[in-house]
């Protein structure tokens, strides 16, 4: 992929990992007039992301999620960790695997100025584990965006035990520019949202598998009786079942709690490649993306 | 069907657009809707479904919906959608 030389004063946000989350985080930032360099090792994934981002920008505009008086930010993509210019922050949204994330963050920290926030969009892995072995663990913080990031305004921000106050302030000022609502929590496997949500999604799949109720009935009960917006199994499809299994495994490993152990139905769906909305089939079937 | 007429005459008529939209929504939602029914207030169209609908309308009627036209107010009812499509198709 071509490499453009960015002038040293050009400010941008770097997003690493062009999967479901990296893509929608990028669309959200562009919609708020922030320039983004989106990085992924796979060039075809970047092509796909470009197409999705332009649709997501339209979607966000349709739903009045972006300021109408600002032009969209500029998007650049790269297959290399290219941090020329001024990186205001790095957001990593690669596969939910602690070792991969740690290696990546170590590489990235060699390319950015000290004090540049290194943000992980992990849904489950403790931030302090990701900061382990980095030259500047104080630069690392967690921002757990929800999917789709350009529609859900609230984000869960995680302060690790070693995260510096200046890092927290920089992260908050970035999120303010992106018009996000911030709730700060302390470090812990799964933080608050995944810690509470993921076992429920896992149990919902168990109930469907055991034949207690159909997929549709489970979601209908949770929406109709309990006020959930779409129901647990539709949520699981939206998250991506591969990612859900990775997160559950990360939580199970770190807590030993049985309700985090991914159930057979989830594992089977992942094995057969039915990963939810992104592949057109999970607990439900989807047409037209 | 409207699309056949459209191909033959190369001309859009407002009632034709309306009935095609009603058929499209009927198929996608699995329930019949009225031309003046507020689809968002009734929860029939969710935020995630909204863009799929826009893309399907663009493909069906060969229009491109952008800029200030791309706002929920234009998709609230079938009548609103038909007005938008009719305007885009006849001014382009």
């Amino acid at each position: 992929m071509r490499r453009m030389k960015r002038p040293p004063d050009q400010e941008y946000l770097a997003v690493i990992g062009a999967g479901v989350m990296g893509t929608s985080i990028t669309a959200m930032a562009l919609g708020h007039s922030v320039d983004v360099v989106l990085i992924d090792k796979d060039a075809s994934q970047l092509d796909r992301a470009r197409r999705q981002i332009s649709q997501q920008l339209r979607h966000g505009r349709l739903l009045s999620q972006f300021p109408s008086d600002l032009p969209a930010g500029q998007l650049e993509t790269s297959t290399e960790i290219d941090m020329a210019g001024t990186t205001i922050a790095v957001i990593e949204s690669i596969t939910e695997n602690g070792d991969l994330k740690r290696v990546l963050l170590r590489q990235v920290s060699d390319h950015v100025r000290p004090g540049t926030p290194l943000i992980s969009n992990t849904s489950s892995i403790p931030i302090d584990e990701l900061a382990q072995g980095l030259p500047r663990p104080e630069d690392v913080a967690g921002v757990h965006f929800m999917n789709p990031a350009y529609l859900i305004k609230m984000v869960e921000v995680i302060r690790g035990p070693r995260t510096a106050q200046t890092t927290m302030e920089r992260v908050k000022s970035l999120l303010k520019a992106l018009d996000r609502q911030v709730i700060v929590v302390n470090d812990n496997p799964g933080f608050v949202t995944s810690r509470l949500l993921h076992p429920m999604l896992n149990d919902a799949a168990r109930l469907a598998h055991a034949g207690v109720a159909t997929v549709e009935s489970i979601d209908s009960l949770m929406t109709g009786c309990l006020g959930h917006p779409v129901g647990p199994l539709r949520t699981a499809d939206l998250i991506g079942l591969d990612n859900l299994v990775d997160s559950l495994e990360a939580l199970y490993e770190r807590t030993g709690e049985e309700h985090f152990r991914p159930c057979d139905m989830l594992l089977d769906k992942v094995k057969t490649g039915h990963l939810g909305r992104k592949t057109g089939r999970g607990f439900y079937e989807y047409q037209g993306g | 069907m409207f699309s056949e007429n459209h191909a033959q005459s190369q001309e859009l008529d407002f009632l034709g657009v309306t009935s095609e939209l009603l058929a499209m929504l009927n198929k996608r939602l699995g329930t019949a809707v009225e031309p003046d029914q507020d689809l968002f207030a009734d929860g029939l169209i969710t935020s995630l479904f909204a863009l799929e609908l826009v893309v399907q309308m663009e493909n069906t009627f060969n229009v491109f919906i952008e800029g200030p036209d791309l706002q929920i107010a234009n998709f609230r009812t079938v009548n609103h959608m038909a007005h938008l499509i009719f305007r885009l198709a006849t001014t382009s």
Side-chain angles (χ1 to χ4, degrees), chain A residues 55 58-59 62-63 277, chain B residues 47 51-52 55 58 65 72:
Chain A
Q55 284 300 76
R58 298 186 72 203
H59 195 201
L62 173 67
L63 299 170
R277 217 183 153 84
Chain B
S47 63
L51 187 68
E52 286 175 34
V55 172
E58 288 182 335
I65 305 164
I72 284 298

Side-chain angles (χ1 to χ4, degrees), chain A residues 25-278:
Chain A
I25 291 167
T26 299
M28 183 267 296
L30 294 172
H32 288 86
S33 211
V34 172
D35 293 346
V36 178
V37 176
L38 176 61
I39 298 167
D40 197 288
K41 58 187 185 322
D42 180 356
S44 64
Q45 184 68 37
L46 287 170
D47 288 342
R48 218 167 12 247
R50 265 188 185 278
R51 286 194 298 275
Q52 284 165 348
I53 288 164
S54 74
Q55 284 300 76
Q56 291 174 352
L57 278 171
R58 298 186 72 203
H59 195 201
R61 246 172 251 135
L62 173 67
L63 299 170
S64 308
Q65 294 295 310
F66 305 137
S68 55
D69 52 337
L70 293 177
Q74 295 292 315
L75 173 64
E76 234 186 271
T77 55
S78 173
T79 50
E80 285 165 61
I81 296 176
D82 168 10
M83 301 277 161
T86 302
T87 320
I88 47 179
V90 179
I91 300 179
E92 76 74 21
S93 55
I94 65 167
T95 308
E96 190 72 354
N97 174 306
D99 292 333
L100 292 177
K101 285 182 188 288
R102 242 190 323 272
V103 169
L104 173 78
L105 289 174
R106 202 170 308 146
Q107 257 179 298
V108 168
S109 64
D110 292 339
H111 286 78
V112 295
R113 279 175 230 185
T116 307
L118 302 178
I119 297 169
S120 175
N121 179 53
T122 177
S123 58
S124 309
I125 302 167
I127 294 308
D128 204 47
E129 271 186 41
L130 301 177
Q132 204 68 46
L134 289 191
R136 294 181 306 277
E138 65 272 20
D139 291 348
V140 182
V143 178
H144 185 194
F145 292 91
M146 307 291 143
N147 180 26
Y150 59 95
L151 294 186
I152 302 184
K153 269 209 154 49
M154 188 172 278
V155 292
E156 183 177 33
V157 173
I158 303 99
R159 179 173 191 166
R162 289 184 281 179
T163 309
Q165 186 57 35
T166 49
T167 304
M168 291 304 289
E169 276 152 23
R170 286 184 181 133
V171 168
K172 284 188 206 166
S173 100
L174 169 69
L175 292 169
K176 193 170 178 214
L178 298 173
D179 195 24
R180 300 298 95 181
Q181 293 167 359
V182 168
I183 302 278
V184 180
V185 304
N186 287 322
D187 208 8
N188 153 79
F191 323 119
V192 171
T193 53
S194 304
R195 186 82 179 215
L196 294 175
L197 176 70
H198 285 21
M200 183 178 76
L201 306 187
N202 201 23
D203 280 340
R206 277 201 190 103
L207 288 172
H209 187 57
V212 173
T214 62
V215 166
E216 290 80 3
S217 297
I218 291 169
D219 279 349
S220 293
L221 284 165
M222 294 305 280
T223 53
C225 294
L226 298 175
H228 284 235
V230 294
L233 297 169
R234 214 174 265 286
T235 301
D237 274 357
L238 187 60
I239 290 173
L241 304 183
D242 52 343
N243 176 271
L244 178 59
V245 165
D246 286 346
S247 296
L248 283 165
E249 272 165 358
L251 288 165
Y252 180 60
E253 245 172 62
R254 287 165 181 83
T255 63
E257 291 171 21
E258 202 55 36
H259 64 168
F260 289 118
R261 193 202 285 272
C263 77
D264 292 343
M265 195 180 194
L266 281 174
L267 293 170
D268 285 348
K269 284 190 187 292
V270 171
K271 210 178 295 168
T272 49
H274 297 144
L275 307 183
R277 217 183 153 84
K278 63 185 169 186

Side-chain angles (χ1 to χ4, degrees), chain B:
Chain B
M1 274 311 284
F2 167 75
S3 43
E4 288 164 25
N5 292 339
H6 181 209
Q8 281 160 16
S9 66
Q10 291 297 309
E11 215 170 74
L12 279 166
D13 73 284
F14 186 77
L15 286 176
V17 172
T18 306
S19 64
E20 179 116 341
L21 282 169
L22 288 171
M24 182 194 285
L25 282 163
N26 190 357
K27 191 166 169 228
R28 287 299 299 263
L29 300 173
T31 175
V33 297
E34 299 296 325
D36 59 352
Q37 185 178 352
D38 187 332
L39 302 168
F40 286 90
D42 291 347
L44 287 169
I45 298 187
T46 61
S47 63
L48 285 170
F49 176 52
L51 187 68
E52 286 175 34
L53 185 66
V54 169
V55 172
Q56 197 182 350
M57 283 167 53
E58 288 182 335
N59 293 338
T60 307
F61 299 106
N62 199 23
V63 292
F64 191 64
I65 305 164
E66 57 186 341
D69 289 331
L70 197 57
Q71 55 173 298
I72 284 298
N74 283 333
F75 303 90
R76 203 158 274 293
T77 69
V78 167
N79 281 339
H80 283 98
M81 296 180 211
H83 276 288
L84 174 69
I85 289 167
F86 192 68
R87 174 164 61 75
L88 291 174
T90 50
T91 54
S92 64

